[in-house]
Amino acid sequence: MSAAPTTPRGPRRFGRPRRVFSQVLVMQLAVITGVTVLATGLFLAPLSAELDDQAMRRALAIAQTTAAQPQIAYSLLTTEASQDGPVQAAAERIRRSTGAEYVVIMDVRGVRWSHTDASRIGGVVSTDPSTALAGSSVMEIDSGTLGRSARGKVPLRDGSDRVIGAVSVGIAYDSVRARLLAVIPGLLAYAGGALAVGALAAFLISRRLQRQTHDLAFSDISALLTEREAMLHNIREGVVALDRTGHIRLLNDEAQRLLGLGPGAAGKPLEEALGEGRTADVLAGRVVGDDLVTVRGSRVLLANRMPTDDGGAVATLRDRTELEYLGRELDSTRGLIDALRAQDHEHANRLHTLLGLLELEMHEDAMEFVTEVVGVHRATAEQVTEKVHDSLLASLLVGKATVAAERGVALRMAPGSLLPDRLVDPRGLVTVLGNLVDNALDAAAGSADARIEVGLRVESRTVILRVHDSGPGVPAGDHEFIFTEGWSTKELPAHGKRGLGLPLVRRLAERQGGSVSVTGTDEGGAVFTVVLPEALRETPPGPQAGPDPPSEPCRPVGPGPGGPPAHAPSAKPGEAL
């Protein structure tokens, strides 16, 4: 099933995109951009705090290293605060070597002994040093005389572990901010690259989606699905869709009816749903061709299979049962017309003969001639009706005998044949017998001593039907193939199909729990035997029927020199397929 043709594109308009690939592309770009911005923000927020923490820890480490030098504590106790004092010299040396903004050393009063600006030595510090002078370390971001900085403060102790002052080290906050700003361009570059890759991937995915959806809008897809469901479940043609693994993906109502499956068959493997046979082989693609004929139950189906791009297939099924019946009826009618045409010529010859006898005043000979013709026809009908009590089968055999006689084939009833009028499915048996007799007639026509022998025997409620012809027979290697749909050695008839009669015979027999087989004889020809259990209704209570009549020699059932009697039942054209 192909998708609907793409709707022609109109002029481009700005606004909300309608097609599937456009909407998906816009949504993907929006999601990718949002995720990129969110990830960048989530990365920058902790980065700023982390840089602040690193600066404060660095300042604290420098302060701790400075306070750990005993020379500074000794100089603080033994010298005066001055610009040229040993404490200032040591603090400046540490500041320059570590890159700190300042290193301030103070006494317990908060008086500076060192400072980056030497003029501030001797003055009191601008921030509260009480925590450090109390013996605790401090990390903070604060503003002082040199501006905002990351600070670390630690107590300064003498040799006896007494707090004699404090050390305050500052890292310029501008350097921390500079590090943060230096990271942002690289981070934005990575984010931009990720955004570009994501946008390209979204575009490629959208383009593929555009090809797969045939550039349709969501409303178009919804309408197509609605139309598909309405079409599949209302057309009078079966549709079966298979996936690449051979599972049934879709099964419309008509396919369920033709194949005898239920809605639960969808999703099952084809062989599990249908079983083994020609129908499964045709749908699975193991039998290839156009308009393949297969038989499912009592239905004749015409199947076509089309592979799909995803490795699956779509098969369509048409019910050809009625058409096949009509084709068979046409063949049968043509045969009957040919027989009637021959009978017309023969009837004219008889009338001419009778007229000549009367003109020659040979009245006794004329009476004997008429008596003989009428007697032969009456014997033909009586022989059939004595052995076959069902009117449909009797009519069929009388009609087939007429056609056989015109083709030079003698149709005989086998000795001991008897069929009571208690058939459960007379039309089914008419189909079986009609097919077998037609095949036997085609095989026997033209052979030496051409004949067909029909036997109908009853055992309890089982009907055993045998048809023996004098044709060339069936080779032993073909005994099984002749019951396969489409297998035939005959030329194609007017309706263009062969190889359906015997498969239908087997299906009808198996449907009633019976069987059909073919064998050969020493005399030549083929013998078809059909066993139909439970083919007769139970005998109603009452007087028991008498014993079967004794066997009698085979006699021809077909008409002799004369045509069919006026009172004999005629065969219904097309009763047999």
Side-chain angles (χ1 to χ4, degrees):
M1 293 171 287
S2 59
T6 304
T7 305
R9 297 187 181 183
R12 293 183 178 272
R13 297 180 180 178
F14 295 99
R16 181 180 177 184
R18 296 180 62 251
R19 302 188 183 280
V20 174
F21 92 97
S22 301
Q23 295 189 29
V24 172
L25 179 60
V26 170
M27 288 188 292
Q28 286 181 326
L29 290 177
V31 171
I32 292 172
T33 303
V35 170
T36 303
V37 172
L38 180 62
T40 303
L42 292 177
F43 181 78
L44 288 176
L47 178 61
S48 177
E50 184 178 353
L51 292 176
D52 289 347
D53 184 69
Q54 289 178 359
M56 290 187 293
R57 290 184 181 278
R58 181 185 170 202
L60 181 63
I62 296 174
Q64 291 173 340
T65 302
T66 302
Q69 298 184 15
Q71 183 63 32
I72 294 178
Y74 177 76
S75 298
L76 185 66
L77 293 175
T78 58
T79 62
E80 295 293 333
S82 65
Q83 296 180 3
D84 300 328
V87 175
Q88 170 67 5
E92 284 299 299
R93 185 178 68 252
I94 294 173
R95 184 185 66 81
R96 287 191 296 270
S97 63
T98 59
E101 184 180 18
Y102 65 84
V103 177
V104 175
I105 300 174
M106 68 194 77
D107 59 16
V108 293
R109 297 170 298 171
V111 177
R112 302 185 188 96
W113 283 63
S114 66
H115 198 276
T116 303
D117 184 0
S119 63
R120 294 181 181 273
I121 296 176
V124 179
V125 296
S126 60
T127 56
D128 182 18
S130 59
T131 302
L133 293 175
S136 300
S137 300
V138 177
M139 290 191 309
E140 62 183 356
I141 303 292
D142 203 355
S143 299
T145 57
L146 297 177
R148 191 170 181 80
S149 60
R151 301 182 178 187
K153 299 179 181 179
V154 298
L156 179 63
R157 302 175 186 274
D158 60 9
S160 59
D161 202 26
R162 181 170 57 90
V163 177
I164 61 174
V167 177
S168 177
V169 177
I171 303 296
Y173 196 73
D174 290 340
S175 65
V176 178
R177 191 182 320 162
R179 289 181 60 192
L180 178 61
L181 295 176
V183 171
I184 290 177
L187 180 62
L188 292 179
Y190 284 118
L195 181 60
V197 172
L200 179 61
F203 177 76
L204 294 177
I205 293 174
S206 298
R207 290 292 296 176
R208 181 177 181 182
L209 185 62
Q210 180 184 18
R211 291 192 299 269
Q212 292 180 340
T213 59
H214 299 277
D215 200 18
L216 296 174
F218 279 112
S219 58
D220 297 332
I221 294 177
S222 177
L224 283 175
L225 289 176
T226 302
E227 293 170 2
R228 190 198 74 161
E229 289 300 313
M231 177 186 67
L232 287 178
H233 296 289
N234 286 281
I235 61 174
R236 303 307 295 172
E237 186 168 294
V239 178
V240 181
L242 306 174
D243 60 18
R244 66 177 62 191
T245 62
H247 287 68
I248 298 177
R249 184 163 50 189
L250 181 144
L251 197 72
N252 72 340
D253 298 341
E254 183 67 7
Q256 296 177 24
R257 184 183 72 86
L258 294 179
L259 297 176
L261 301 176
K268 293 182 179 180
L270 186 63
E271 287 73 12
E272 179 181 339
L274 296 180
E276 296 182 357
R278 178 176 171 84
T279 303
D281 292 340
V282 169
L283 297 184
R286 291 187 289 269
V287 178
V288 296
D290 296 330
D291 292 337
L292 296 174
V293 178
T294 181
V295 178
R296 179 72 178 176
S298 60
R299 299 186 181 278
V300 180
L301 306 178
L302 207 62
N304 285 280
R305 186 178 186 274
M306 176 68 69
T308 56
D309 294 338
D310 60 356
V314 174
T316 58
L317 301 171
R318 283 177 285 167
D319 191 353
R320 195 182 170 86
T321 306
E322 296 299 329
L323 184 60
E324 190 63 30
Y325 271 99
L326 292 176
R328 292 285 179 162
E329 288 181 3
L330 178 60
D331 289 345
S332 180
T333 302
R334 285 180 175 176
L336 185 58
I337 290 175
D338 292 338
L340 291 176
R341 186 179 295 112
Q343 288 284 346
D344 179 61
H345 289 289
E346 189 174 355
H347 183 65
N349 292 334
R350 294 186 187 120
L351 289 179
H352 293 158
T353 302
L354 181 60
L355 178 62
L357 291 174
L358 293 176
E359 288 180 350
L360 296 175
E361 296 183 357
M362 301 173 66
H363 301 125
E364 293 184 0
D365 293 336
M367 292 179 61
E368 291 179 0
F369 177 75
V370 172
T371 302
E372 179 184 358
V373 170
V374 173
V376 169
H377 291 175
R378 183 175 301 167
T380 299
E382 289 178 355
Q383 182 187 4
V384 172
T385 54
E386 284 177 3
K387 296 179 177 294
V388 180
H389 298 170
D390 183 86
S391 58
L392 284 178
L393 284 176
S395 300
L396 174 71
L397 288 174
V398 171
K400 294 296 182 183
T402 302
V403 175
E406 296 304 325
R407 297 184 61 179
V409 180
L411 194 151
R412 306 171 182 273
M413 294 295 296
S417 296
L418 180 63
L419 182 67
D421 187 16
R422 292 188 288 112
L423 291 176
V424 175
D425 183 15
R427 298 185 67 86
L429 192 55
V430 164
T431 300
V432 172
L433 182 58
N435 275 291
L436 294 180
V437 171
D438 284 343
N439 289 335
L441 184 59
D442 291 338
S447 63
D449 189 20
R451 66 189 183 282
I452 299 173
E453 184 178 86
V454 177
L456 292 168
R457 187 162 53 89
V458 173
E459 293 181 0
S460 183
R461 296 178 57 190
T462 300
V463 173
I464 301 174
L465 187 154
R466 294 176 72 252
V467 177
H468 179 198
D469 63 73
S470 61
V474 179
D478 294 337
H479 282 184
E480 186 61 29
F481 292 116
I482 62 175
F483 297 104
T484 303
E485 294 94 333
W487 192 95
S488 178
T489 58
K490 305 175 185 177
E491 296 182 358
L492 290 179
H495 50 90
K497 296 294 178 182
R498 279 288 191 189
L500 296 176
L502 291 178
L504 280 177
V505 169
R506 182 170 68 174
R507 293 294 176 87
L508 289 172
E510 291 177 349
R511 191 171 62 180
Q512 299 184 24
S515 62
V516 58
S517 60
V518 58
T519 58
T521 63
D522 297 337
E523 302 174 357
V527 179
F528 286 86
T529 304
V530 180
V531 179
L532 300 174
E534 310 295 327
L536 296 179
R537 293 190 297 270
E538 294 184 0
T539 305
Q544 297 295 325
D548 292 344
S551 299
E552 56 182 347
C554 294
R555 292 186 297 161
V557 178
H567 65 277
S570 61
K572 295 183 179 181
E575 285 290 341
L577 288 178

